[in-house]
Amino acid sequence: MDFTFTEEQQAAVEAAKAVFAGVAPDSVPSPALTEGAVAEDFDRPLWAKLADADLLSLLLDEEYGGAGLDAIALCLVLRESAKVLARVPLLESGAAALAVQRYGGPELKAELLARAGRGDLVLTVAASGRTGHEPAERAVTARRGGDGWVLDGVQTAVPWAYGADIVVVPAHTETGRTVLALVPRDTEGAALAEQISTTGERLGQLRLESARIASGDVIEAEGAWEWLRELLATGVCAQALGLGEAVLRMTSEYTGKREQFGFPVATFQAVAVQAADRYIDLRAMEATLWQAAWRISAEAGGALPASADVAVAKIWASEGVRRVVQTAQHLHGGFGADTDYPLHRYHAWAKHLELSLGPAAAHEEALGDLLAAHPLS
């Protein structure tokens, strides 16, 4: 496979590095020392910088002020954002906007996309279902009502829900179809209850009780939710990769300076072997990530559907990010648990990403089902 990035994608990476260079992972109180949320809102100044650098409009078509890039570019920027634990809804808003561009009607596109690209409108996605252990589209019902739709149900752990202007909610109809409803935060019949992530960030439980949504704000296109769900999962894999790379680099620097018996601990075989294993994890996470992102972007065919590549990426990301941070904690010793040192924050974010992806065993089972349904000959 040739995963060489285009000049435009590489330019996006350089722009992202420039913006994230000034971001401090400890810019908010430690989640280990804070009761409740570490902050009321996401990092609005950083969001404005991303907008000024045209990084929020990367994936949008030129008519909406964008650069017309693809999911690979989004994942490249997400990778850089995770290295500094950037507190912005870059994945959710970018993926939702791209879904609107791909599947939404002309009026919806004209109303939302340019504003989203400028950072004036923030989108998020309810993708966890009622409990986090069920398909998100089964947690909310959608039925026709008057000249619009009526939604009922609950979605848990909606990221950045209190800062977003619109929540994209998958819902199932009486006929078994899945639609995407764009629910403004001030919609009558929509209420949020605060939930706190392992990162200390505010999540929201979204409760919908006879919430009325205009027909023009509901995407009925076949496959829209499945495509958005896979893009979100691939984006989380990109975040896991970036976080893991930052943690391994942090570990390398620490073990290169920390001495025992007169030698840097990095020169000890047991330390070097563990670090090498985690490096292999990261390279596997990277290869499977770009394969999944490419399948989504290029809509390339294959012996298996793109969801199989996404499942493989999720297997490696879920297991890999956990192994990387656990090894980092071990090699740092007690220093890794010091709340004045940033490693514990990366550990908390890694746990959040791992939980967001779900257990590797579930993805292995899904991959097995795909192999059974599409036998390789």
Side-chain angles (χ1 to χ4, degrees):
M1 284 293 179
D2 180 8
F3 290 134
T4 302
F5 301 115
T6 66
E7 291 184 6
E8 292 82 4
Q9 291 166 345
Q10 292 172 341
V13 173
E14 294 306 316
K17 287 181 177 179
V19 173
F20 294 129
V23 177
D26 55 358
S27 60
V28 293
S30 165
L33 304 175
T34 307
E35 292 187 9
V38 296
E40 291 297 308
D41 198 4
F42 61 83
D43 191 338
R44 293 281 179 173
L46 177 58
W47 190 249
K49 291 179 181 178
L50 289 168
D52 290 341
D54 295 326
L55 289 172
L56 300 184
S57 59
L58 275 180
L59 281 63
L60 301 180
D61 293 338
E62 290 185 8
E63 63 182 297
Y64 305 114
L69 298 186
D70 55 17
I72 296 174
L74 175 63
C75 288
L76 284 166
V77 176
L78 289 169
R79 179 187 190 178
E80 297 302 320
S81 75
K83 293 178 181 179
V84 296
L85 306 184
R87 303 178 47 258
V88 285
L90 185 60
L91 168 59
E92 295 79 10
S93 197
L98 190 56
V100 170
Q101 178 174 270
R102 183 182 176 94
Y103 294 101
E107 293 183 2
L108 187 62
K109 295 178 186 181
E111 179 184 354
L112 299 183
L113 293 184
R115 295 166 60 201
R118 294 192 302 267
D120 298 335
L121 184 76
V122 179
L123 307 170
T124 190
V125 184
S128 297
R130 180 181 293 271
T131 64
H133 301 287
E134 62 182 349
E137 67 273 16
R138 304 302 301 171
V140 174
T141 61
R143 55 183 172 84
R144 296 278 187 181
D147 58 352
W149 292 80
V150 180
L151 304 183
D152 289 280
V154 176
Q155 291 278 359
T156 194
V158 180
W160 316 109
Y162 285 89
D165 301 297
I166 293 175
V167 182
V168 178
V169 180
H172 68 278
T173 68
E174 296 176 350
T175 60
R177 293 190 304 117
T178 298
V179 298
L180 291 177
L182 278 68
V183 181
R185 189 170 51 181
D186 58 356
T187 298
E188 184 177 354
L192 288 175
E194 186 180 68
Q195 298 173 311
I196 307 298
S197 165
T198 60
T199 64
E201 300 294 342
R202 293 178 87 191
L203 307 175
Q205 182 194 67
L206 176 64
R207 184 173 294 276
L208 300 165
E209 296 181 356
S210 299
R212 293 188 174 275
I213 308 298
S215 293
D217 293 334
V218 176
I219 298 174
E220 301 181 49
E222 189 72 26
W225 166 237
E226 290 76 11
W227 184 88
L228 175 57
R229 181 180 60 201
E230 290 180 1
L231 177 58
L232 288 169
T234 304
V236 175
C237 292
Q239 292 174 322
L241 174 62
L243 185 150
E245 289 174 329
V247 167
L248 188 60
R249 182 174 62 251
M250 189 186 308
T251 305
S252 174
E253 292 173 354
Y254 176 79
T255 56
K257 297 176 182 177
R258 177 77 167 90
E259 291 189 359
Q260 286 186 354
F261 312 112
F263 298 93
V265 297
T267 62
F268 299 168
Q269 186 178 35
V271 172
V273 166
Q274 291 182 68
D277 285 343
R278 301 296 76 83
Y279 176 82
I280 293 171
D281 277 335
L282 290 173
R283 297 291 67 79
M285 290 165 65
E286 183 177 19
T288 54
L289 163 66
W290 298 132
Q291 173 69 12
W294 173 73
R295 286 292 303 275
I296 292 174
S297 300
E299 300 182 33
L304 296 176
S307 56
D309 293 286
V310 175
V312 174
K314 289 161 72 175
I315 291 168
W316 276 103
S318 175
E319 291 281 320
V321 74
R322 174 175 54 80
R323 287 194 292 258
V324 168
V325 294
Q326 286 181 343
T327 297
Q329 289 281 10
H330 175 65
L331 296 183
H332 274 82
F335 197 59
D338 188 342
T339 54
D340 291 328
Y341 187 69
L343 181 58
H344 78 287
R345 295 176 183 268
Y346 284 87
H347 202 155
W349 278 71
K351 178 54 68 174
H352 174 71
L353 295 177
E354 181 188 355
L355 293 172
S356 298
L357 288 166
H363 308 316
E364 290 166 352
E365 183 177 350
L367 182 60
D369 291 341
L370 287 170
L371 287 168
H374 302 81
L376 303 178
S377 56

